[in-house]
Amino acid sequence: MAQQESGQGGVSPARMAGYLAAAIAFAVFGLVLAQLERVSGSAILFDLDWAPSLGIGFSFLLDPLALVFAALISGIGGLIFIYATGYMGGHPQFGRFVLFLFLFMLSMLGLVLARDLITLFVFWELTSLTSYLLIGFAHDDPRARRNALQAMLVTASGGLALLAGFILIGTAAGSYDLAVILQGGGLQQSPLYGAILVLVLLGAFTKSAQIPFHFWLPNAMAAPTPVSAYLHSATMVKAGVYLLARLHPLLSGTDGWEVSLTLAGGVTALFASVIALRQRDLKQMLAWTTLMALGVLVLMLAQDTAAALTAAIAFLIIHALYKAALFMVVGAVDHATGTRDVRALRGLRRGMPLTAVLALLAAGSMAGLPPFSGWIGKELLYTGAIPLLVPLLLVSNALIFAVAGGVALRPFFGPPPGDLPSGALPSGALPHEPGWQLLLGPLLLGGAGLLFGLMPGLLQPLLDAVLRGFGLDHAAGLHLWAGGSLPLVLSLATFALGSLLFLAAPRLRAQGEGPRLADRLWDRLLEVFAAIAAWQTRVIQSGRLSRYLVISFTTLALVLGVTLAARRPALAIQPDAPLSLWLIAAFTIGGAGLALTPHSRIANIAGIGTVGIGVALIFLIFGAPDVAMTQLMVESLAAVLFGIALLRLPGLSERRSPGRRALHWLISGAAGLAVTLLLLAITAHPPDRQLATWFEENAFTRAHGLNIVNVILVDFRAFDTFGELTVVLLAAIGASALLKRRIGGARR
Amino acid sequence: METLIALLAGALTTAGIWLMLSGHLLRFLFGLMLISNAVNLAIFTAGRLSMGRPPLLEPGGAPAPEMANALPQALLLTAIVIGFGLFAFALALTIRAFRAFGHLEVDRMRLAEPEPAEPELAGPELARPEKPAGAM
Amino acid sequence: MRSPILGLGARFLLPLFLISSLYILLRGHNAPGGGFIGGLIAALGFAILIFAEGTAAARRALKIEPRNLGGIGLLCALLAGFGAAPSGGAPFQGLWLALPVLPLSTVLLFDIGVYFAVLGGVLTLIFALEEGGDA
């Protein structure tokens, strides 16, 4: 590799790019937060026409909900860029990595700021695409490629459903403009509501990895850790949640909405937290708890009470803070020890005390301990949940509590680390603390998690503003100490159950990580697809040019023939024509006949030339001198080219069997007859001279030319002509490249 | 008049397609020339025929009485040149094919899509053997 | 198999073809003609020279790689297309200098671009077939 670590001498350009991207992200973060006051009143709108005829605009809006997401995306994004620069700045392709990550950040920002549904969709798919590039960043690893493809196929097919849903929303609401749609009130009464709901939920559930579409997310951990921390915990997977929150005023409140979100969210939360506890890889543990968090968020969005929605938005922020921090810590551990296996790691605090503290800081929030913000989040969840779901939440939270312990306690505490399976450290040596870039993110994010826990009032205005967007007066209150209420009892029960689970976790892990049923089913599905594709290719694409041509021309004849037979248009038949025209026609037909003979190439070329001249004469007779001249020139040049080429090409042969020849005559005769009939049908109508008249009237007054044909070519339709010139030149260059390249001896 | 030209266009189409189906690349090219002439005639005829008056305005810009339709003519002019480009490219391809294969029978040219010996199943990417990584 | 008569004829014919092609090009806006036809006529002139004297002679007469000639033509057309842009015109909007005798315009530049693009394209093809055919 050409590009190596630049050592102590300076910062490599790729690292500079990393820091620059971080600076831009922080600038965006500052800009977005500065708008907080303004957007609390009314949303900021920004517009650019895109396809006005379709009512689609390239437009954006910044309201409190968008602001929350944009702040998370840019703020965490900046920290991730710094983290990534420390984590993998020496990677030979780090520049590319920064580019992908930056593109992702822009797409994500576009997604949450989009005001137009179609714009939103475009950015939605862009996040899937950039996520694909990032998961598959280690492109020489087949697993990474496979998982990247899986993530993209799942999320992008959900995106297609979403597009259909958006179009239906546009139809039902009469606009693609979110500002207009949200003003217009809900779509719950629309006859299209059912279809809209199903399609939108398909999009949201695939993106936010709800069961049964969850399997791609744990696999996406094949990405480098900064990507996991950013895309697959804090931002991209929240896009589905964002969508649900954004369309909440439009679609919520029906049984369909409530049941499907509760079901998907509840099952995802419970299932994912159970699986999370059985994982051995720290990253996998975090991935599955992310699934649990997404499930809980969806669960909360099923309701429309202030308590539930406050819980959703608050938990969204809190989760993004601690989960990104924990991923970064795990990355630091991986960096230092070369392994992420929770069974092998212990006692790291001796070498990495700072990292250990930061892990505790974030894990405290994840476990929901006071005084971390996670505590408040958990209380809010218990308050907001419908009673039926409280036991489910209790179990999930207890499991998450245990996982938090697994992530933050097991690797760092206990006896000193022994020999690591990775062999990254010499026997008996202690791992070293990572560089500042790897610690800054966990420090700030964990610190924020603690700060919001101690001073929940900081978040209150933001949440109030967001909740107003849902049509509510204000958010539920955020308090560190909410009094001795039921949620408090539930929290204590969570801790008790969680501690038990934490102690039982090693035994659970020993039983294996659990089956990956959906993942395997997915592979089967792909295999079926591939088999269908192969079968279809075998059937349709025989690889024989002559068969393709037969199919194409038969189709042509059939399409024209069936249309003519069905419509039975009037045909204009006036066989009267001057003698000269009859002569020219006979002359041309004679040329065509000469071109058909299989015996002499010279005769063929002469025949084709005759046809060309005959056609040119027809152009001339009917008042088209320009076309006639062009035709003559082209015929002459074609004769020249044929002349040159014939020296190098072999003679002709007619190898078709009589039967095949008859079939070909039938096909070509039918196609020719169809063309004739079509022309007769067209000319039976009175001509539409609207355009011709316009050109006649304007050629001189507007374009100062008397030759209308030339004026059309070089003035009225000059852009088309330009395109055609490009085509001609490209064809010429292509042909010359074809002939100049030496052949690689592929003789068959 | 239109009827006669329509018949002519149909006849040229028939001849062109018959040649294109012949399975011989050179004859395919001949057919291509014929069929593009047929299509040009068809476009021209669809714009209606009128004897003799080219679409040129009188000096000063007044439309001459009963001019031919200028629009199809403009279309045709570029179509002819583009058709020539297509034809020349196809001719170059033919020469190249002859150099590579030593013959011009299209059905015997199976370099890109070999005759499947047995039905091959293209599995998903994971099923394929991987090249050794890191050979950069 | 060079014929001296054909060679001599071609040497005389080429200027004739070129002059008439230019004439056709320039009058094209008001009478039958224009860049397409002009370019094809000029190409035919060179084709005759190639037949008579071979590509080397044609290259000498042309003095410039035909591919580049086509590129220049395309560039002219593009320039003409944005000629009206500084004065706020749309792309490919015509711009006319109000000279009574000599009607200079971006439209004329465009037609000249067409002429060179067609000439360059066709000559690229002929040269390629003639030179590359034996490789």
Side-chain angles (χ1 to χ4, degrees), chain A residues 587-681:
Chain A
F587 174 75
T588 313
I589 293 285
L594 210 52
L596 292 179
T597 166
H599 305 300
S600 159
R601 298 180 301 172
I602 303 296
N604 293 153
I605 293 175
I608 285 168
T610 312
V611 170
I613 290 169
V615 172
L617 284 176
I618 293 173
F619 290 148
L620 200 59
I621 287 186
F622 291 108
D626 287 291
V627 184
M629 282 161 82
T630 312
Q631 168 85 5
L632 278 177
M633 291 303 136
V634 161
E635 287 302 330
S636 317
L637 283 168
V640 168
L641 292 191
F642 264 138
I644 297 172
L646 283 196
L647 297 174
R648 306 189 164 88
L649 291 176
L652 301 177
S653 56
E654 176 59 74
R655 292 179 178 227
R656 286 179 278 189
S657 64
R660 182 151 292 229
R661 256 185 283 178
L663 174 73
H664 287 177
W665 272 123
L666 186 70
I667 295 170
S668 48
L673 182 66
V675 168
T676 300
L677 291 177
L678 180 72
L679 276 176
L680 292 178

Side-chain angles (χ1 to χ4, degrees), chain A residues 1 93 140 142 145-146 523 527 530-531 534 538 542-546 548-550 553 572-574 576-578 581-582 585 588-589 592 595-598 601 604-605 608 611-612 615 618-619 621-627 630-631 634-635 637-638 641-642 645-646 648-656 661 664-665 668-669 671-672 675-676 679-680 682-683 685-687 689 691-692 695-696 699-700 705-709 712-713 724 727-728 731 734-735 738-739 741 743 746-748, chain B residues 1-31 33-35 37 40-46 48-61 63 67-78 80-82 84-89 91-96 98-111 113-116 119-126 130-131 133-134 136:
Chain A
M1 304 299 335
Q93 281 145 5
D140 41 12
R145 288 205 304 272
R146 179 258 183 190
D523 282 346
E527 276 163 30
R538 269 201 312 282
S542 60
R544 283 178 181 277
L545 182 62
S546 52
Y548 295 161
L549 285 171
V550 165
F553 287 126
I573 300 179
Q574 322 129 327
D576 59 314
L581 203 56
W582 283 101
T588 313
I589 293 285
L596 292 179
T597 166
R601 298 180 301 172
N604 293 153
I605 293 175
I608 285 168
V611 170
V615 172
I618 293 173
F619 290 148
I621 287 186
F622 291 108
D626 287 291
V627 184
T630 312
Q631 168 85 5
V634 161
E635 287 302 330
L637 283 168
L641 292 191
F642 264 138
L646 283 196
R648 306 189 164 88
L649 291 176
L652 301 177
S653 56
E654 176 59 74
R655 292 179 178 227
R656 286 179 278 189
R661 256 185 283 178
H664 287 177
W665 272 123
S668 48
V675 168
T676 300
L679 276 176
L680 292 178
I682 291 174
T683 46
H685 287 279
R689 284 188 58 97
L691 277 174
F695 285 125
E696 281 164 17
F700 190 75
L706 297 177
N707 181 354
I708 304 173
V709 176
I712 294 177
L713 286 176
E724 280 144 11
V727 171
V728 170
L738 264 180
L739 291 173
R741 270 189 52 199
I743 26 171
R747 219 166 239 279
R748 271 197 194 193
Chain B
M1 292 182 292
E2 274 93 348
T3 311
L4 182 58
I5 307 293
L7 283 171
L8 185 58
L12 288 182
T13 309
T14 302
I17 292 181
W18 196 77
L19 281 174
M20 288 175 85
L21 288 175
S22 73
H24 189 279
L25 264 187
L26 195 57
R27 302 187 86 194
F28 177 91
L29 281 178
F30 295 154
M33 292 287 282
L34 288 186
I35 207 170
N37 269 319
N40 289 345
L41 265 188
I43 296 176
F44 190 59
T45 314
R48 304 305 186 281
L49 307 173
S50 62
M51 284 278 198
R53 299 209 181 255
L56 299 171
L57 300 171
E58 306 277 350
M67 278 188 301
N69 192 344
L71 190 61
Q73 296 195 19
L75 290 178
L76 279 184
L77 217 151
T78 48
I80 291 172
V81 177
I82 293 263
F84 176 71
L86 171 69
F87 156 74
F89 187 83
L91 187 64
L93 210 55
T94 305
I95 294 179
R96 174 101 172 132
F98 180 61
R99 266 198 250 148
F101 296 101
H103 62 83
L104 289 177
E105 309 287 327
V106 289
D107 285 340
R108 282 165 57 208
M109 298 177 181
R110 307 205 53 109
L111 201 59
E113 298 171 81
E115 206 84 63
E120 53 174 325
L121 264 181
E125 194 182 18
L126 60 151
E130 291 300 330
K131 271 191 264 177
M136 284 194 285

Side-chain angles (χ1 to χ4, degrees), chain A residues 152-212:
Chain A
M152 183 164 81
L153 287 178
V154 173
T155 53
S157 39
L160 286 184
L162 187 64
L163 177 64
F166 280 171
I167 291 173
L168 288 186
I169 292 181
T171 314
S175 170
Y176 289 114
D177 187 342
L178 272 172
V180 175
I181 299 173
L182 291 174
Q183 289 279 313
L187 296 174
Q188 287 88 345
Q189 307 307 322
S190 160
L192 294 175
Y193 176 77
I196 292 175
L197 186 67
V198 169
L199 291 167
V200 166
L201 290 188
L202 269 178
F205 287 176
T206 47
K207 197 78 163 182
S208 282
Q210 297 299 298
I211 284 176

